[in-house]
Amino acid sequence: MKKHIVKKSVLAVSMLAMVIAASAQSASSAYFLEGFNQRYQLNPAFAPEPKVFMAIPALSNIQVDAQSTVGLANFLFESKSKPGMLTTFMSPDIDSKEFLDAMPRGAQFNVGLNMDIFALGIGGENSFTTFNVKMRNSEQIVLPKELFGFMKASLAEGDYLIKNLNINTKTYMEVSLTHSHKIGDNLTVGLGLKLLEGVAYADVTINEIDARIHEDEWQVKSNGTIKASVPGAEYKLDPETQTFDGIEGFKFNMPGSHGFAVDLGAEYDFKDIVDGLKVSAAITDLGFIGWANMNTFATNNNEYVEFDGFNNYDVNGDNNEETMDQINDDFNDMVQLYQTGTTDKKERVALSANFRLGAEYALPFADWVSFGELITYRTGLWSYTESRTSVCLSPCGWFDLSGNVSFSTLGSSMGFLMNLHPGGINFFLAIDHLKAEFNPQFVPLHDFGLNFSVGFNLAFGGKRND
């Protein structure tokens, strides 16, 4: 394994060899569709429509969520010395100002995977209870603009200060029990209890990189840490410098990281005042995981390190793998981390919680048509706010369709959901976000956003009459 998780991650991001993938849940496009069984994951007050539903193992709800503020076009340019050929931003052909002017303030990446492994829901009188097992993964990365400016500097003299580089990833299993209960004719409340089992966690925080470039000499001083909880991982240290050199191997070890979270929700039907108006609110994933055997690595904050700089690359991209390995090694030389210890105490890390507020109005003369407004706020390393306006159509008892437009901290986008639930089955396909322009290799060229969901469930006993 090549050197250093931090540099490997930074390398992959900076060269856009992959789209670093945020904490996904269920499709927001389905928030106002009663025929969508997984709505309880957005608001535990929402009860599934059938009397009993069962999720097809590993196929009932699969969601992938990915956003990026940069794309391949931020790093590849047409060569001025070789017209018709592409070159990387590290080429002397590319003006530093031209490159940096096209970059956003920071390169941010947010990716998640959410997959239901099994779910079973049973309805009672004015109530519904759902048991669910799922796997969740989220990754968040923030790379400051100054990092790329420093890489581009080559041997241009000057002082550089790079702040707030963050990489965070976690994978965990979730077992939940959700109960929705109707109180009177207007109010429905919901509660979800979740037991969490951590699989792997890593957090890279580089608070500051202080670099000095004078004549042919580079000096770098870094202030940063890595925290990692990976069961069975064997960490390797460089025999000469004793710096962190990656993960050498794994020994099977049962995860010992546990956590707890709650979902809270409510919906109120204002039919006595305004026929067709419903207002709802929810807080989901309010909790934490206590990560066991947390290994920590840190820089020597008082020591400047001699650094050869970023140079001598294959800027024309003829050998991308070799170029990426070289950049990886350069980052390894620039930021050196030493193991500072392993704690037997569990370290609590909060989940990214979601806050939702929704309002829906169904037309009194055509109640199969409704309009909804959903406000969502998500906490975390890269907080997120979204306003989504939806038009929902349910022309018959087994077909629903939602079209929507959203405005968020990631920009604007459009989404849709198609939900089929005839007889004893339920199939849905949803895209919450779709904003992308790809090259022939399907690598995003510019800022990118995609939230895709698909699932298949079984239903029994007909529809409830709550």
Side-chain angles (χ1 to χ4, degrees), residues 217-240:
E217 182 181 63
W218 295 45
Q219 289 187 326
V220 178
K221 182 173 67 174
S222 303
N223 179 347
T225 60
I226 293 180
K227 292 184 177 182
S229 174
V230 183
E234 297 179 331
Y235 299 96
K236 181 181 178 182
L237 300 180
D238 186 282
E240 296 182 1

Side-chain angles (χ1 to χ4, degrees), residues 169 253 310:
T169 177
N253 190 9
F310 297 95

Side-chain angles (χ1 to χ4, degrees), residues 349-368:
V349 178
L351 301 181
S352 294
N354 295 277
F355 300 81
R356 297 183 179 88
L357 180 63
E360 179 186 16
Y361 178 69
L363 298 179
F365 54 86
D367 59 3
W368 57 277

Side-chain angles (χ1 to χ4, degrees), residues 308-349:
D308 294 333
F310 297 95
N311 48 47
N312 300 320
Y313 294 132
D314 174 24
V315 297
N316 293 317
D318 295 329
N319 193 336
N320 290 328
E321 183 175 353
E322 183 178 326
T323 299
M324 292 174 67
D325 286 343
Q326 187 176 351
I327 294 178
N328 180 61
D329 290 340
D330 285 343
F331 270 101
N332 184 71
D333 294 336
M334 184 177 70
V335 181
Q336 298 183 5
L337 290 132
Y338 303 84
Q339 187 168 24
T340 57
T342 301
T343 177
D344 293 331
K345 296 182 180 179
K346 293 185 178 181
E347 183 168 335
R348 290 187 177 184
V349 178

Side-chain angles (χ1 to χ4, degrees), residues 167-180:
I167 302 174
N168 182 278
T169 177
K170 57 179 172 285
T171 301
Y172 61 95
M173 301 295 295
E174 174 184 295
V175 178
S176 65
L177 188 67
T178 304
H179 182 77
S180 170

Side-chain angles (χ1 to χ4, degrees), residues 8 244 278 288 316 415:
K8 197 72 174 178
F244 178 52
K278 296 180 181 179
F288 64 89
N316 293 317

